[in-house]
Amino acid sequence: MTDFVRIVEVGPRDGLQNEKQAVSTADKISLVDRLSATGLRSIEATSFVSPRWVPQLADAAEVFAGITRRSGVSYPVLVPNEQGYERALAAGVEEVAVFTAASETFNRTNTNAGIDESLARFEPILRRAGADGIRVRGYVSTVLGCPYQGEVPVADVVRVARALHAMGCYEISLGDTIGVGTPRKARQMLEAVAGEVPMEALAVHFHDTYGQAIANIAACLEAGVRVVDSAVSGAGGCPYAKGASGNVASEDVVYLLRGLGLESGVDLEQLAGIGRWLAALLGRPTGSRTGKALENA
Amino acid sequence: MTDFVRIVEVGPRDGLQNEKQAVSTADKISLVDRLSATGLRSIEATSFVSPRWVPQLADAAEVFAGITRRSGVSYPVLVPNEQGYERALAAGVEEVAVFTAASETFNRTNTNAGIDESLARFEPILRRAGADGIRVRGYVSTVLGCPYQGEVPVADVVRVARALHAMGCYEISLGDTIGVGTPRKARQMLEAVAGEVPMEALAVHFHDTYGQAIANIAACLEAGVRVVDSAVSGAGGCPYAKGASGNVASEDVVYLLRGLGLESGVDLEQLAGIGRWLAALLGRPTGSRTGKALENA
């Protein structure tokens, strides 16, 4: 087990996607560029979903064209289908991410397709990506609970993660979309998936809805995961719990890693400054406790 | 190891003590009475420190006289010295708490006394309490870091905890006063103390300054601790980091315990309601993420 933990910064995509306050294209570009200077290795830059679904990210192509890509940093973008893949490819991306839920009900409600249909839609994307030299990351959402069906059997998470991996996704991010997980269940879920997909190909993605995200990450790091998704300033909310906290804050994750003697390569003070800048832009206090603590330090 | 975890609700004392917004005596009484109805077994009701030090709690005797003590619930109060003990005794308390730091510098700065002097001052209190039939809880602060000296050697924490226990404190609460701890260090510290003081006589007390409190509690529960201090709505701030988060929120702790299959006997929804009521009283959003999530659920 290595001591290096790669943080996948999802603030510019998963964070902003769930923020009501409109952010200008220039500010989105500035956000990605600032993050690029902190030592982060992966920054999810935007999403090529239909602007009708996510108006906040309608300027995906402009954002991607505007950012300064730094060598050694990946800039994945979300794509929901082949049209999204084509737009992303035209924009010059080198990595895309596809997503499906582990909960059948959630997937049907959110994408109008069953899980198997979603997986089938990804096959041509994965095939083309292979030919185009594009890396593909896979997201599995609702891995610890679903707003519609409640419990999600671990076997369903394992099945979907295995399918995405078998299809060619180099990494599968396991997402607790509604933030209901607690450490023991999070670890058990991760270990079940790791029985079928190598741990090196897994990432964890927690939302802090119930304040459990850092504890869940700590438990999963102990189980061996070495890739963690998070969003600077804890950007994003929860569409299923109005007013709730969003993604786990990257600053708090970096603080945790530091305390555990794990290396992320990220400059915490610089990151916290970006978090406060973003929070001001969004017109709300930072969602990072570390960010708050460092503000007046 | 039992599945029951006793929460020591410290909102009315440690929480309010660090809140700037003045709270009326009637509201303090109401806070304790509401908490008494949730299933909590221990509620730290107030502090008999000098009103010059903590003006917010100058009405300690009135608060204690006003609350309705429920059978099966303990209502400890903080006492800094023998005069405080006498005032508390006159008010009719059945349990008191004494406090010292593990950091010599912190103790000198905050109480004008070295640790050994503090311990010596507690001896007559413990003696009298024994004769008076009063239970005594001991707090050790700065167990994972000090705002003045930085690192605090684990051996110092062990020494102070052992001394308080040997003196007759039935329970020792290990406090990360400035919230700098992370799970592995928290667990190592707890286990070191448990080598000298029985685990059954230990409690953990975390502040969420850097967002690590729930993770630290989870790690300490895994190591066997079964008493956790917390404050409804995450009341309190941090005098050493302006604007930072306060005590770990009781709501988030109860949510964690539920997820881990541990029993606290506390009604989460009722507790979350009290947290929102208190936050409104303090003129700020609740510091509990679970409280926020449940608000619109």
Side-chain angles (χ1 to χ4, degrees), chain B:
Chain B
M1 244 187 257
T2 161
D3 279 352
F4 183 79
V5 174
R6 183 159 50 86
I7 291 181
V8 178
E9 168 60 50
V10 298
R13 198 279 301 173
D14 196 25
L16 292 190
Q17 175 179 321
N18 290 305
E19 293 283 350
K20 285 210 180 87
Q21 173 72 45
V23 176
S24 73
T25 305
D27 283 334
K28 287 175 191 163
I29 292 168
S30 177
L31 173 60
V32 174
D33 285 348
R34 286 168 194 242
L35 290 168
S36 290
T38 60
L40 282 161
R41 309 284 178 94
S42 297
I43 303 168
E44 201 177 45
T46 184
S47 168
F48 285 85
V49 295
S50 164
R52 271 180 302 144
W53 296 354
V54 186
Q56 175 78 279
L57 302 182
D59 55 0
E62 291 85 340
V63 169
F64 204 83
I67 63 173
T68 303
R69 284 186 260 174
R70 189 179 278 244
S71 135
V73 182
S74 296
Y75 299 90
V77 301
L78 203 68
V79 300
N81 50 33
E82 252 187 294
Q83 297 95 292
Y85 175 76
E86 280 160 13
R87 285 174 60 215
L89 196 68
V93 308
E94 293 172 303
E95 180 174 339
V96 298
V98 297
F99 58 96
T100 183
S103 150
E104 186 71 19
T105 330
F106 188 87
N107 212 60
R108 285 200 180 278
T109 310
N110 274 34
T111 66
N112 240 328
I115 292 172
D116 288 337
E117 268 176 278
S118 281
L119 292 172
R121 279 184 200 165
F122 298 152
E123 265 176 23
I125 298 181
L126 266 295
R127 228 181 1 253
R128 291 178 60 174
D132 296 334
I134 303 290
R135 300 208 307 165
V136 185
R137 193 171 198 247
Y139 278 107
V140 185
S141 66
T142 61
V143 298
L144 289 166
C146 166
Y148 310 115
Q149 77 180 43
E151 293 278 320
V152 175
V154 171
D156 294 356
V157 181
V158 173
R159 183 180 78 85
V160 175
R162 192 178 45 207
L164 287 171
H165 188 250
M167 212 179 264
C169 290
Y170 79 96
E171 186 167 285
I172 316 295
S173 172
L174 302 165
D176 179 15
T177 313
I178 54 171
V180 292
T182 42
R184 196 171 302 170
K185 290 178 191 168
R187 182 176 179 152
Q188 284 166 351
M189 179 276 300
L190 172 68
E191 286 175 338
V193 177
E196 304 271 341
V197 178
M199 189 65 91
E200 299 74 40
L202 296 177
V204 290
H205 180 113
F206 289 106
H207 284 236
D208 209 22
T209 323
Y210 291 87
Q212 311 293 311
I214 291 289
N216 294 341
I217 291 170
C220 290
L221 288 168
E222 214 167 71
V225 85
R226 287 295 177 268
V227 185
V228 177
D229 297 2
S230 61
V232 66
S233 90
C238 181
Y240 311 99
K242 209 179 138 237
S245 310
N247 285 275
V248 64
S250 303
E251 299 92 313
D252 299 7
V253 175
V254 173
Y255 187 91
L256 170 72
L257 295 174
R258 207 145 98 164
L260 295 176
L262 297 168
E263 184 51 55
S264 69
V266 178
D267 184 316
L268 178 55
E269 283 66 26
Q270 204 180 341
L271 189 67
I274 299 170
R276 291 191 294 269
W277 168 81
L278 177 61
L281 211 64
L282 295 170
R284 59 165 184 75
T286 176
S288 163
R289 302 195 168 207
T290 295
K292 268 190 224 167
L294 292 178
E295 186 159 12
N296 298 290

Side-chain angles (χ1 to χ4, degrees), chain A residues 28 30 37 74 97 108 122 124 141 144 158 172 209 224 247 249-250 252 254 262 265 283 287 294:
Chain A
K28 287 175 192 162
S30 177
S74 296
R108 285 200 181 276
F122 298 152
S141 66
L144 289 166
V158 173
I172 315 296
T209 324
N247 285 275
S250 303
D252 299 7
V254 174
L262 298 168
L294 292 177

Side-chain angles (χ1 to χ4, degrees), chain A residues 11-26:
Chain A
R13 198 278 303 171
D14 196 25
L16 292 191
Q17 175 179 320
N18 289 304
E19 293 282 350
K20 287 213 179 83
Q21 173 72 45
V23 176
S24 73
T25 305

